[in-house]
């Protein structure tokens, strides 16, 4: 569900025409809908109400401070994977006791800062990391809350680049290695407090079966650890639930997502932690771009736009497919009469063949795809701006937030000077 709609053949975000945003802020620009984000946060909280749940938003999906503030205002915590994400979350007002710190390579200075903030827990991914945390906690006279990130060797049936639950990936600790981990925790009782178990099997998961299998496995592991006398307070099931990017796709709703954890209700006094990213912010944002020109070759029709792979890398990186639509339909109605639309590759100006926003996308072959007209790419709220770069010395786009009929810039467009500001 989102609040990007057509009214009289013109695309709107809530009450604001996308064309108006392009006029005021320029293009390319990421446009977010506040109502969509609030709606998603409320629906998620409602669906998980039957369990004692703490949603820790995966900051990597979209780390804009304004959006973080909105998400934390719903009482959510944060899942962070770097010092930068941790400091962003703190700046946006997260309660440090609701912060999970994930990632296979936490550096010393990152661990020290998280220890000082007394975060909820480190999701520990290796024996070496555990030893590092123990040593740092000892030298500062602190005790670190630990959750063991288990690699359950479960195939999330998603794009291999974002599948993280198999033993062939760098993530987590195999169940076979748990005795060694527990041994190290016992040896460092003063410095390490084992309080949870975690897993994250992948991202953009549309079939929830693997997630359910992982949940069963984690419940069993938690029960076994409790039997051994550990005070396990939570099971962290990571994030990963996918969203609908294309018309024909079916994505789980919040209730289906929550139903995966039905076995959690048998665990008295234990919290469920989830780390949703995409499902909260993915459909809250679009990328608005202007057509520079249309180019027809012997083989293809190219629509060259002012957004490129540096602004939005998901199509290039993952072969991700997004819906691309004209902002002004100009009498070319959406839906049924799309039969008359023809295929075009929507590409950016970057000097890479891999620089595309969409291949063989269906677009009208009329004046609405001429130079100067606008297109918008749906479902860009997650892993959009947060993965942007300055490749080809292109300043990063602005980000704006629409709230009803109000429009605010929540990140200014970078200037050319910003490109070399830090260079000596
Ligand atoms: C540890 C961890 N938690 C949560 C997430 C968020 O995943 P998603 O945006 O698919 O919900 C990720 C994504 O890579 C992750 O690595």
């Amino acid at each position: 569900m989102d609040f990007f709609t057509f009214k009289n053949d013109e695309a709107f975000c809530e009450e604001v025409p996308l064309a108006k945003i392009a006029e005021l802020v320029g293009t390319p620009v990421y446009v977010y809908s506040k109502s969509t984000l609030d709606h998603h946060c409320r629906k998620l909280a409602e669906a998980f109400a039957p369990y004692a749940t703490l949603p820790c938003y995966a900051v990597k999906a979209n780390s804009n401070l304004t959006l973080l503030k909105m998400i934390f205002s719903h009482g959510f915590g944060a899942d962070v994977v770097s010092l930068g994400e941790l400091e962003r979350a703190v700046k946006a007002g997260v309660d440090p006791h609701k912060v999970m710190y994930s990632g296979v390579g936490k550096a010393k200075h990152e661990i020290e800062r998280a220890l000082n903030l007394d975060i909820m827990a480190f999701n520990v991914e290796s024996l070496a990391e555990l030893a590092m945390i123990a040593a740092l906690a000892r030298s500062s006279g602190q005790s670190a809350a630990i959750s063991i990130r288990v690699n359950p060797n479960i195939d999330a049936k998603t794009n291999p680049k974002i599948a993280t639950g198999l033993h062939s990936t760098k993530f987590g600790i195999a169940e076979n290695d748990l005795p060694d981990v527990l041994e190290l925790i016992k040896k460092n009782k003063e410095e390490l407090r084992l309080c949870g178990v975690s897993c994250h099997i992948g991202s953009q998961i549309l079939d929830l079966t693997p997630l359910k299998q992982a949940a069963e496995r984690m419940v069993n592991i938690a029960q076994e650890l409790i039997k051994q006398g550990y005070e396990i307070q939570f099971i962290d099931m990571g994030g990963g639930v996918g969203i609908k990017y294309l018309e024909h796709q079916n994505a789980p709703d919040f209730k289906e997502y929550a139903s995966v954890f039905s076995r959690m209700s048998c665990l008295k006094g234990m919290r469920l932690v989830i780390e949703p990213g995409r499902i909260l912010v993915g459909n809250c944002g679009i990328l608005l771009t202007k057509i520079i020109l249309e180019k027809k070759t012997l083989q293809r029709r190219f629509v060259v736009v002012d957004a490129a792979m540096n602004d939005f890398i998901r199509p290039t990186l993952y072969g991700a497919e997004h819906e691309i639509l004209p902002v002004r339909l100009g009498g070319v109605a959406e839906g049924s009469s799309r039969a008359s639309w023809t295929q075009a590759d929507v590409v950016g100006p970057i000097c890479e063949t891999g620089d595309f926003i969409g291949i063989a996308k269906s677009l009208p072959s009329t004046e609405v795809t001429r130079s100067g007209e606008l297109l918008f790419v749906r479902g860009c709220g997650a892993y959009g701006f947060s993965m942007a770069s300055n490749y080809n010395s292109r300043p990063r786009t602005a980000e704006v937030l629409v709230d009803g009929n109000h429009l605010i810039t929540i990140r200014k467009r970078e200037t050319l000077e910003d490109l070399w500001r830090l260079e000596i």
Side-chain angles (χ1 to χ4, degrees):
M1 206 292 285
D2 66 51
F3 290 91
F4 294 94
T5 50
F6 279 94
K7 296 178 195 173
N8 296 328
D9 274 1
E10 203 193 332
F12 278 68
C13 175
E14 302 192 17
E15 303 303 319
V16 181
L18 293 186
K20 186 81 195 159
I21 297 175
E23 191 189 310
L24 293 171
V25 191
T27 56
V29 58
Y30 279 94
V31 181
Y32 306 116
S33 152
K34 181 173 187 298
S35 301
T36 310
L37 182 52
D38 280 334
H39 178 80
H40 288 175
C41 291
R42 275 197 306 272
K43 285 281 163 199
L44 181 109
E46 263 169 46
F48 281 83
Y51 322 108
T53 307
L54 177 65
C56 289
Y57 169 65
V59 173
K60 63 168 79 70
N62 188 321
S63 43
N64 183 286
L65 290 175
T66 303
L67 300 192
L68 292 183
K69 268 187 202 160
M70 282 169 54
I71 293 169
F72 300 150
S73 75
H74 287 265
F76 293 7
D79 165 58
V80 302
V81 293
S82 70
L83 182 60
E85 285 191 358
L86 177 61
E87 297 297 358
R88 269 184 182 274
V90 168
K91 202 170 170 56
V94 77
D95 173 353
H97 303 310
K98 294 183 180 174
V99 173
M100 298 295 299
Y101 202 133
S102 306
V104 291
K106 303 172 189 78
K108 278 186 181 171
H109 68 289
E110 296 180 309
I111 296 170
E112 278 164 354
R113 173 65 173 146
L115 277 172
N116 286 336
L117 283 169
D118 195 17
I119 62 164
M120 181 168 161
F122 292 90
N123 272 331
V124 172
E125 305 221 15
S126 63
L127 268 178
E129 182 193 337
L130 195 59
M132 227 166 115
I133 294 176
L136 290 168
R138 190 174 316 117
S139 63
S140 58
Q142 285 161 310
S143 153
I146 297 298
S147 177
I148 304 172
R149 176 161 171 184
V150 176
N151 181 323
N153 203 25
I154 289 175
D155 184 353
K157 300 206 170 65
T158 183
N159 184 317
K161 287 190 182 154
I162 47 175
T164 54
L166 288 171
H167 282 170
S168 54
T169 69
K170 65 182 175 181
F171 298 99
I173 297 173
E175 281 169 66
N176 280 350
D177 295 331
L178 289 185
D180 293 343
V181 172
L182 297 175
E183 192 57 38
L184 192 60
I185 291 172
K186 269 189 219 140
K187 278 193 193 142
N188 294 275
K189 264 201 228 98
E190 300 298 312
E191 296 83 17
L192 303 175
R193 274 175 290 128
L194 178 61
C195 52
V197 285
S198 311
C199 81
H200 171 77
I201 61 169
S203 202
Q204 185 54 15
I205 298 170
L206 292 175
D207 170 4
L208 294 177
T209 316
L211 197 58
K212 198 171 170 95
Q213 280 167 5
E216 300 274 326
R217 194 83 63 81
M218 296 306 288
V219 168
N220 293 341
I221 293 172
Q223 282 176 327
E224 179 53 37
L225 290 173
I226 289 167
K227 253 195 241 156
Q228 292 183 29
Y230 293 97
E231 283 179 34
I232 303 298
Q233 294 155 18
F234 63 84
I235 297 180
D236 176 354
M237 285 304 304
V241 174
I243 60 169
K244 180 180 164 84
Y245 282 109
L246 300 172
E247 276 297 294
H248 68 267
Q249 278 175 334
N250 277 320
D253 61 23
F254 290 106
K255 281 208 170 122
E256 288 166 319
Y257 178 14
S259 71
V260 161
F261 306 109
S262 53
R263 257 198 83 198
M264 284 296 298
S265 43
C266 72
L267 298 173
K268 296 276 170 289
M270 202 182 293
R271 270 211 290 192
L272 169 64
V273 175
I274 50 170
E275 300 169 356
R278 190 188 314 265
I279 196 169
L280 286 180
V281 292
N283 286 329
C284 297
I286 58 108
L287 176 60
L288 182 58
T289 182
K290 190 178 279 174
I291 297 173
I292 297 177
L293 54 88
E294 193 169 345
K295 168 175 173 174
K296 289 191 177 133
T297 67
L298 280 180
Q299 296 189 358
R300 326 254 331 151
R301 173 185 174 210
F302 293 104
V303 174
V304 185
V305 295
D306 63 2
M309 64 187 274
N310 74 298
D311 304 307
F312 187 55
I313 202 170
R314 281 183 34 76
T316 308
L317 194 60
Y318 307 126
E321 288 211 54
H322 288 253
E323 202 178 352
I324 305 178
L325 289 168
V327 163
R328 201 165 62 87
L329 284 173
V332 195
E334 221 199 341
S336 55
S337 69
R338 279 203 205 179
S340 65
W341 295 14
T342 61
Q343 286 193 344
D345 293 350
V346 179
V347 301
I350 281 184
C351 298
E352 303 261 351
T353 304
D355 175 30
F356 55 84
I357 308 289
I359 298 291
K361 303 309 278 189
S362 182
L363 286 174
S365 337
T366 64
E367 73 277 6
V368 298
T369 51
R370 290 221 183 108
S371 174
E373 291 290 339
L374 299 165
L375 299 179
F376 69 107
V377 189
R378 279 192 187 273
C380 297
Y383 308 105
F385 188 90
S386 63
M387 288 183 131
S389 76
N390 291 117
Y391 185 44
N392 269 208
S393 281
R394 290 168 50 90
R396 280 181 295 173
T397 69
E399 293 175 286
V400 299
L401 180 70
V402 174
D403 179 10
N405 55 12
H406 295 290
L407 172 72
I408 54 164
T409 297
I410 57 173
R411 192 179 204 276
K412 288 185 196 162
R413 186 178 303 286
E414 286 178 355
T415 63
L416 289 174
E417 285 72 26
D418 288 329
L419 294 177
W420 48 79
R421 203 162 39 88
L422 301 176
E423 291 174 33
I424 294 155

